[in-house]
Every structure is written in C-alpha cells, then in structure tokens.
Amino acid sequence: LNTSSDSTTSSPYRIASSVVLSRPPTLTADLTPFEESFYFYQRRLNQRLALPFTRYFYLKKGTPADAEWKRKQKAAGDKYTGFGPRSWADELLVGDESQKSEDNGYRRLVETTITGEASNVEEGVEGEEKKLDIPLPRISKADKEGDRKSLDRAMTRTLYLLVKSKDRSKHAWRFPQSPVMGRENLKEAAQRTLEEAAGVNMNTWFVGNVPIGHYIYNYGRDYTVDSEKIGKKVFFMKARIMAGQADLNGNKLGLEDFLWLTKEEVEEVAGRAYFKAVRHMLVS
C-alpha cells in the first residue's frame, strides 16, 4: 500500500496506522464439562484395564519406600481402585463431582504416590521432610484484585492493549494509532506509534508486513483539528508482546491510561461502534 506524501495529500481521508498488540494465552484453556467427563472416563478405563501394581518388584520389603507405600494405600481408604470387590463401580453417580480438583490433582497424586519424603528423614538428609512443590493456581493475584493493567491476568485468554486519549470525551479508548508520516509504510508507522505511545520497555514482534484490517470513519461537524480531511482510514497491524510492560510516561500521543483487555472487555471499554469495526481481528 502506497502511503507516501503524494498519495495521502490527494486523498480526502487521513491515513493512520494502528497497532493491535496482544499477549497470547500463557495457560491452556479451562476444560469444558464434556472434556472433564471424557478425561475422567479415560482415567477410570485405564484403572480397570491396567495390570495391578507389582509391589515387590519395585519395592524391597522392609524399606522406607515400602513402608510409605503401605501407609498411603491404607490412608487412601475407600477411594476407587480398578481391582477389588468394588472395581465394577467405576461410574459417577448423579451430583458426584469427585473428578474435579482445584489443585489439578496434586493432593491425590501425593496421597497415593511414593514421593520419598520418608526415606529422606530416615537417611539423615539435612532439614525437614521433603516438601513437593505445589502447582501454581490458574487464578492469579491480578485476577483476584481486578487489576486490568497487569499482564498476569486472564492467563487462558488473549489480552489486547487499549490506550485512552486525554483530549477525547467520547471514544477515548482505542488501540494505539497515529497518522502515517512522510514516506513511512504502514508497518514502520505502526512501530513508531507503539514506541511513542507505550515506550520502549516492551519486547514486541510484528506479525507480517500487511494490515489485518481497516476502519474508515468521517469526522463530526464539530471536529476542527484536521480540517483538511473529511475523515480517517485506519489500518491495523498485528503485533505480539513477548516481555515488558507498557509505560505511558512522557508519551507523544497525549495518552493518559492503558488497559490489557480480553475481547469481551474491549467492547465494554471501547464501545460498540469501535468494537464492531475491529471484532473480526480479535480472537477469544
């Protein structure tokens, strides 16, 4: 796309480049009820079909590991096992949610698996009993506090950077954008825009050299800042953030705030009209 000074001067619209900067998901998506049921069924099926654990092949009688295995099997109590008089009862009853686990199955794994904590104490390893690392929760501190400036939130979703203009009472929230300058192409303009808007403390990567969409709108009658043009054509360039954080201190585009938002939150903050123009460029 030719965005040189000659072509933009002859156009009744101002050409602008905007950056759709996103943070991809950092965790796998939450399981749907069907997926939870399917994986539970597969686990129970494996318990029914797998050979029983050959204890004395792996554990020498009288060793700390053997003692730990017996202790944990006894503590397991009436938990389902694929062998024994109740092995046939492998289906969930109505209302039974025992297949769900807030700690991703960590407690169940520790309670039924030989982890070696007893042998550490007996062999005189310095310190307390061995403590296994607990998996981090899928809900972060930023999620609990509702901090929408943090990148450590909604980790199963894609987040997008929206910025707020100081001099706008309406439609203040949008993706970073600015007019194409001189002989810049759209990608060069987008790279400059992102640096001027959110600083240089971000490691970003622009995906491709062509826009992923565009948005055309006309100025209102009371808009006199750009009287030479009747409206604006905004071309959106896709980018990813790899590390860092947005910093609006000293920005050159008159911005006062920023947020990292999911697709649904973009509609809530930016408004339905703007979201309708960009929604097909966004993923959930």
Side-chain angles (χ1 to χ4, degrees):
L1 177 65
N2 184 4
T3 57
S4 63
S5 298
D6 294 337
S7 63
T8 55
T9 301
S10 60
S11 172
Y13 289 93
R14 181 72 62 190
I15 305 298
S17 185
S18 183
V19 186
V20 181
L21 182 65
S22 63
R23 186 226 65 189
T26 57
L27 294 177
T28 55
D30 294 324
L31 296 179
T32 64
F34 175 80
E35 289 172 328
E36 285 184 342
S37 300
F38 174 79
Y39 288 125
F40 174 78
Y41 169 76
Q42 290 293 319
R43 185 168 73 245
R44 283 287 170 90
L45 186 62
N46 179 70
Q47 290 172 328
R48 288 290 301 272
L49 299 179
L51 291 174
F53 177 67
T54 51
R55 169 184 166 193
Y56 290 122
F57 181 82
Y58 295 99
L59 306 175
K60 187 176 180 180
K61 191 174 182 178
T63 60
D66 182 52
E68 181 186 350
W69 184 85
K70 289 191 293 184
R71 174 172 56 82
K72 289 192 172 181
Q73 291 302 306
K74 185 177 180 180
D78 58 353
K79 289 190 176 179
Y80 177 81
T81 175
F83 300 91
R86 294 284 297 172
S87 61
W88 57 271
D90 60 348
E91 296 183 359
L92 288 177
L93 300 178
V94 175
D96 186 354
E97 297 185 349
S98 59
Q99 82 279 15
K100 298 183 179 180
S101 172
E102 295 182 358
D103 58 2
N104 301 315
Y106 168 81
R107 187 178 300 278
R108 175 179 173 273
L109 182 66
V110 172
E111 289 176 350
T112 59
T113 306
I114 300 172
T115 56
E117 64 264 33
S119 60
N120 283 347
V121 175
E122 185 162 321
E123 292 171 6
V125 177
E126 184 178 350
E128 299 286 335
E129 285 191 8
K130 178 181 178 182
K131 299 296 183 183
L132 300 183
D133 293 331
I134 301 176
L136 294 175
R138 296 172 66 87
I139 304 298
S140 68
K141 180 180 179 182
D143 285 317
K144 296 177 181 177
E145 296 178 352
D147 182 7
R148 298 204 285 186
K149 292 181 183 292
S150 174
L151 283 162
D152 297 324
R153 63 176 290 265
M155 292 182 285
T156 62
R157 303 290 304 279
T158 298
L159 296 181
Y160 297 94
L161 176 66
L162 260 69
V163 293
K164 183 180 182 182
S165 299
K166 293 179 181 178
D167 57 352
R168 282 171 170 258
S169 57
K170 295 181 179 180
H171 313 297
W173 287 97
R174 60 185 181 182
F175 295 120
Q177 75 174 51
S178 69
V180 174
M181 308 293 289
R183 300 190 65 83
E184 287 181 327
N185 59 39
L186 292 176
K187 181 177 180 180
E188 291 169 344
Q191 290 171 328
R192 172 185 54 78
T193 297
L194 185 59
E195 183 175 328
E196 291 179 351
V200 296
N201 295 325
M202 291 191 296
N203 181 7
T204 58
W205 171 56
F206 278 78
V207 184
N209 298 308
V210 296
I212 59 173
H214 75 288
Y215 174 38
I216 303 175
Y217 64 93
N218 294 329
Y219 297 141
R221 293 182 179 180
D222 56 345
Y223 188 81
T224 58
V225 176
D226 191 10
S227 57
E228 297 179 357
K229 305 293 182 180
I230 65 172
K232 189 173 288 186
K233 290 184 178 181
V234 184
F235 293 86
F236 296 90
M237 303 297 294
K238 182 179 181 180
R240 297 279 201 186
I241 180 171
M242 317 302 288
Q245 177 59 291
D247 182 9
L248 268 57
N249 291 325
N251 75 83
K252 300 179 182 180
L253 302 182
L255 306 175
E256 63 178 356
D257 202 2
F258 74 92
L259 293 173
W260 289 98
L261 305 174
T262 63
K263 183 177 181 177
E264 295 78 13
E265 292 169 341
V266 170
E267 180 179 11
E268 172 193 334
V269 173
R272 184 161 184 78
Y274 187 79
F275 178 75
K276 186 177 181 181
V278 303
R279 61 183 175 180
H280 296 303
M281 309 175 207
L282 312 181
V283 298
S284 298

